[in-house]
């Protein structure tokens, strides 16, 4: 069969960091993504995009929003229609930062002996996928032993060979050999494994694998797997089909535990050793306990997002309103103890479940309690509970959708930045943030409101969004609900977001008039 020879270079790297890789023809863009990720020693779990700029064609994963300026091809489509000798295109992986690569099709080989991908040559060592930029990577090189980041081309090619369907069993030792030392340490830390800091990589790999496959370690970790995560895991294990983007995102917890790795056909691969170990704990009693724990965790997540400080009685009231099998205080506290080591979203202090970040700040904890004192708790709907638990506390609404359209159409904010900005805006407003706080967050993200027209449009949208955001200070109530229920005097949080006029003080805090500062280009 035929094969393409690609040279994949990190844009802006000096000296250039690149991989020359041979890939078989007929594969999908999604498979190409995973092969490139494997050649970089990355996981493949992040959103990605291919762009053929001269043709105005893009191929993007589900989580990346589309631009009207481009024609989009499905990730399930084959690469052959776009690739030919001397084809040049870009590939972007949205890890901690946006890593952009220039990809050149150097050659097409009509008859190739291998049907799997293979790195032929490379320049530059491993960049941890948690790095956000080349600058951060340079600092990491200066601060750490270069040996930990050395590129093992044989291990990489073994992983690429295993990614090809029908290439044989997958072994966890081969997978871990492809990881850099820091990634393995993160897995060990996730399981609270001690005595790892001075181990060399080979010994670290061996001990970490033995540790996480031990039933006493694996069982409590898998007890905390949510229902949607377990469905995706078992789907991969059975080989019954390719995961959707949403299903792939649900694999983060199991991936972080070291039990799966990225692959081409099903997005993730499970080693024979993990499958064997899982079968020993996978009983009907285990699944019933895990599923029950999953539901309780969903309610804790929703309560934490809405209130930040939650008495057990409110969790019990909400849970028992919707669930047939009722929850007791004793079972709730046992569930919390099971979830706490691995999914620590709350801490139990002073008889309340408090946000893990807030619990470390006694002053903030006390202030919030005093602010919330007389406000009744909003009881979310089942749909809201499900959405928040599936999206780490985020709750989409019509106003945020309007904000998304404004950012895209008026400010030309890149599609891939929109989800992060929406989450940040909601988090800011849910904690009582005002217009200036949101503007500061946007500026920190590189998004500027440069005209008075944009400022006024933005202020109007944020005012509307603010009034329809479920706020922690209001114990989950939206500001307009506080007014409708006659509770606005109970909480001192309501503030009007004022329209900005040319002679007003500029909201950026410069001390100048708006017309002579941010509004000077209006």
């Amino acid at each position: 069969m035929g094969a393409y020879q690609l040279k994949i270079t990190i844009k802006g790297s000096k000296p250039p960091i690149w991989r020359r890789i041979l890939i078989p023809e007929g594969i999908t863009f999604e498979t190409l993504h995973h092969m490139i990720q494997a050649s970089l020693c990355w996981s493949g779990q992040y959103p990605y995009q291919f762009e053929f700029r001269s043709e105005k064609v893009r191929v993007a994963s589900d989580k990346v929003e589309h631009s009207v300026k481009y024609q989009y091809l499905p990730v399930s489509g084959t690469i052959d229609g776009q690739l030919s000798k001397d084809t040049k295109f870009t590939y972007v992986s949205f890890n901690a930062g946006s890593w952009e690569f220039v990809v050149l099709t150097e050659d097409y080989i009509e008859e190739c002996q291998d049907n799997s991908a293979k790195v032929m040559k490379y320049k530059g060592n491993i960049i941890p996928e948690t790095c956000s930029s080349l600058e951060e990577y340079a600092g990491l090189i200066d601060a750490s032993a270069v040996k930990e980041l050395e590129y093992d081309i044989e291990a990489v090619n073994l992983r690429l060979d295993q990614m090809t369907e029908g290439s044989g069993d997958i072994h966890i030792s081969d997978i871990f050999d492809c990881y850099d030392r820091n990634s393995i340490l993160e897995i060990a830390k996730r399981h609270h494994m001690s005595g790892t800091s001075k181990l060399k990589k080979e010994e670290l790999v061996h001990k970490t694998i033995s540790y996480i496959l031990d039933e006493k370690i694996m069982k409590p970790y898998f007890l905390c797997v949510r229902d949607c995560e377990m469905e995706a895991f078992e789907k991969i294990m059975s080989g019954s089909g390719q995961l959707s983007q949403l299903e792939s995102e649900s694999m983060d917890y199991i991936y972080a535990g070291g039990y799966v790795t990225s692959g081409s056909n099903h997005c993730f691969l499970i080693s024979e050793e993990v499958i064997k170990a899982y079968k020993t704990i996978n009983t009907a009693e285990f699944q019933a306990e895990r599923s029950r724990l999953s539901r309780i965790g969903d309610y804790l997540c929703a309560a934490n997002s809405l209130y930040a400080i939650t008495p057990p009685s409110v969790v019990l009231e909400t849970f028992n309103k919707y669930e047939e099998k009722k929850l007791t205080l004793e079972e709730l506290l046992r569930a919390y103890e099971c979830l706490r080591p691995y999914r620590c979203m709350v801490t139990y202090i002073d008889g309340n479940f408090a946000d893990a970040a807030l619990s470390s700040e006694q002053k903030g904890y006390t202030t919030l309690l005093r602010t919330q004192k007389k406000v009744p708790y909003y009881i979310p709907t089942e749909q809201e509970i499900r959405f928040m638990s599936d999206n780490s506390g985020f709750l989409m609404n019509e106003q945020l959708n309007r904000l998304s359209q404004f950012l895209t159409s008026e400010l030309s904010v890149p599609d891939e930045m929109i989800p992060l900005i929406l989450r940040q805006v909601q988090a800011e407003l849910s904690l009582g943030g005002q217009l200036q706080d949101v503007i500061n967050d946007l500026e920190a993200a590189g998004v500027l409101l440069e005209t008075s027209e944009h400022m006024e449009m933005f202020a109007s949208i944020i005012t509307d969004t603010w009034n329809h955001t479920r706020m922690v200070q209001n114990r989950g109530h939206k500001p307009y609900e506080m007014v409708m229920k006659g509770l606005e005097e109970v909480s001192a949080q309501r503030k009007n977001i004022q329209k900005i006029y040319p002679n007003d003080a500029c909201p950026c805090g410069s001390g100048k008039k708006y017309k002579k500062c941010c509004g000077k280009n209006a």
Side-chain angles (χ1 to χ4, degrees):
M1 64 182 299
Y4 299 97
Q5 179 179 305
L6 306 180
K7 184 176 182 181
I8 305 157
T9 306
I10 297 179
K11 187 176 180 180
S13 56
K14 295 179 181 180
I17 300 172
W18 52 266
R19 305 287 183 261
R20 179 169 285 121
I21 180 172
L22 203 63
I23 59 155
E25 66 178 352
I27 62 173
T28 65
F29 280 102
E30 183 173 19
T31 300
L32 175 58
H33 155 70
H34 285 291
M35 288 178 171
I36 293 175
Q37 292 274 305
S39 75
L40 298 166
C41 297
W42 288 356
S43 67
Q45 65 176 315
Y46 298 99
Y48 63 93
Q49 176 177 277
F50 294 95
E51 182 178 296
F52 298 85
R53 203 160 293 171
S54 61
E55 301 175 41
K56 294 292 182 181
V57 169
R58 281 181 177 176
V59 180
S61 58
D62 292 344
K63 200 172 181 180
V64 179
E65 293 194 19
H66 289 194
S67 168
V68 295
K69 300 176 182 178
Y70 287 84
Q71 173 193 355
Y72 283 81
L73 302 178
V75 296
S76 58
T78 59
I79 63 175
D80 300 318
Q82 293 298 128
L83 267 62
S84 59
K85 188 174 180 181
D86 297 327
T87 299
K88 194 173 185 179
F89 57 100
T90 62
Y91 165 73
V92 181
S93 181
F94 300 103
N95 299 8
S98 296
W99 287 92
E100 184 172 344
F101 299 80
V102 177
V103 185
L104 174 64
T105 308
E106 294 182 317
D107 199 3
Y108 172 74
I109 302 169
E110 291 187 6
E111 295 295 333
C112 185
Q113 299 298 322
D114 293 325
N115 62 355
S116 60
K118 181 179 181 181
V119 175
M120 304 169 68
K121 201 170 182 180
Y122 69 95
K123 186 73 173 180
N125 283 330
I126 296 172
I127 298 179
E129 64 181 345
T130 53
C131 276
S132 61
S133 65
L134 285 167
E135 290 75 16
E136 183 180 343
Y137 174 60
L140 186 64
I141 290 292
D142 293 339
S144 65
V146 177
K147 187 175 181 180
E148 296 177 2
L149 302 176
E150 285 183 0
Y151 191 77
D152 187 342
I153 190 171
E154 291 184 5
V156 169
N157 282 333
L158 178 60
R159 183 181 177 193
L160 284 166
D161 184 57
Q162 291 174 337
M163 289 171 64
T164 305
E165 187 173 358
S167 60
D169 294 339
I170 302 167
H171 297 287
I172 193 169
S173 58
D174 296 330
I175 293 171
F176 272 55
D177 283 342
C178 295
Y179 293 158
D180 61 73
R181 186 172 181 274
N182 287 335
S183 297
I184 303 169
L185 285 172
E186 284 297 315
I187 293 172
K189 182 180 178 182
R190 180 85 173 179
H191 294 279
H192 311 286
M193 180 180 169
S194 59
T196 59
S197 59
K198 295 182 179 180
L199 297 178
K200 293 184 178 180
K201 182 181 175 182
E202 184 176 352
E203 189 177 7
L204 177 64
V205 167
H206 175 73
K207 290 195 171 184
T208 304
I209 290 173
S210 298
Y211 189 81
I212 70 172
L213 291 179
D214 188 306
E215 183 177 341
K216 294 178 182 178
I217 303 303
M218 187 176 187
K219 186 174 181 179
Y221 192 83
F222 268 76
L223 272 175
C224 298
V225 173
R226 297 182 63 234
D227 287 342
C228 62
E229 297 167 342
M230 182 55 70
E231 289 172 8
F233 177 78
E234 294 197 333
K235 185 176 180 180
I236 298 169
M237 195 166 61
S238 67
S240 61
Q242 184 177 351
L243 294 187
S244 67
Q245 183 64 34
L246 186 62
E247 289 172 322
S248 296
E249 291 170 12
S250 71
M251 292 302 296
D252 288 351
Y253 175 78
I254 302 177
Y255 171 81
Y259 295 109
V260 297
T261 191
S262 62
S264 58
N265 295 323
H266 305 294
C267 292
F268 291 91
L269 301 171
I270 307 176
S271 71
E272 294 297 311
E273 294 86 350
V274 169
I275 293 173
K276 182 180 179 180
Y278 173 71
K279 287 180 178 179
T280 65
I281 65 173
N282 184 28
T283 64
E285 293 79 10
F286 166 81
Q287 290 296 351
E289 183 181 0
R290 183 206 56 74
S291 185
R292 178 73 169 175
L293 197 61
S294 173
R295 294 297 294 147
I296 296 172
D298 287 353
Y299 281 82
L300 279 172
C301 175
N304 188 51
S305 301
L306 292 171
Y307 323 125
I309 301 174
T310 313
S313 60
V314 175
V315 181
L316 293 174
E317 177 187 353
T318 309
F319 190 97
N320 292 334
K321 179 180 180 179
Y322 300 118
E323 301 296 328
E324 183 177 348
K325 183 181 178 183
K326 303 308 177 186
L327 180 66
T328 65
L329 176 60
E330 292 74 19
E331 185 185 8
L332 174 59
L333 294 178
R334 285 198 306 270
Y336 161 72
E337 289 297 333
C338 290
L339 292 165
R340 184 170 59 89
Y342 309 111
R343 311 201 91 142
C344 185
M345 54 190 143
V346 296
T347 302
Y348 191 61
I349 56 172
D350 299 333
N352 291 315
F353 294 110
D355 183 88
L358 183 66
S359 63
S360 62
E361 301 177 5
Q362 185 61 41
K363 184 178 179 180
Y365 176 84
T366 304
T367 300
L368 181 57
L369 264 182
R370 187 167 56 247
T371 300
Q372 295 178 326
K373 189 173 182 181
K374 296 181 181 180
V375 182
Y377 291 90
Y378 167 77
I379 303 302
T381 65
E382 283 190 275
Q383 184 178 12
E384 287 175 320
I385 292 168
R386 174 62 64 186
F387 195 96
M388 285 186 284
S389 57
D390 285 344
N391 293 277
S392 303
F394 176 73
L395 189 59
M396 191 66 178
N397 58 33
E398 293 180 11
Q399 292 71 33
L400 286 172
N401 186 53
R402 183 182 166 204
L403 174 60
S404 172
Q405 294 172 359
F406 168 79
L407 293 171
T408 302
S409 61
E410 296 293 333
L411 302 184
S412 300
V413 176
D415 298 334
E416 59 270 12
M417 289 181 62
I418 298 297
L420 179 61
I421 290 176
L422 295 186
R423 287 175 179 270
Q424 193 170 25
V425 168
Q426 185 183 79
E428 188 73 69
L429 296 182
S430 71
L431 295 174
Q434 300 297 305
L435 175 62
Q436 187 55 57
D437 300 310
V438 177
I439 291 174
N440 291 342
D441 289 340
L442 285 182
E443 289 180 347
V447 180
L448 302 178
L449 299 164
E450 297 180 340
T451 69
S452 59
E453 181 182 5
H454 281 158
M455 182 66 79
E456 290 177 15
M457 292 172 65
F458 183 73
S460 174
I461 293 172
I462 294 301
T463 300
D464 197 24
T465 305
W466 188 89
N467 275 310
H468 289 80
T469 295
R470 300 208 169 278
M471 294 192 175
V472 166
Q473 290 91 336
N474 297 339
R475 283 180 168 161
H477 291 284
K478 300 174 182 179
Y480 89 87
E481 291 175 341
M482 298 287 286
V483 176
M484 297 295 291
K485 296 178 181 181
L487 299 171
E488 73 276 12
E489 294 182 2
V490 174
S491 174
Q493 304 310 309
R494 188 170 178 78
K495 298 178 183 178
N496 291 323
I497 300 177
Q498 301 294 331
K499 181 177 180 180
I500 301 173
Y501 294 94
N503 287 319
D504 288 345
C506 188
C508 73
S510 66
K512 300 178 182 179
K513 291 182 178 181
Y514 174 69
K515 67 181 181 182
K516 293 187 177 295
C517 190
C518 293
K520 64 184 178 181
N521 294 322

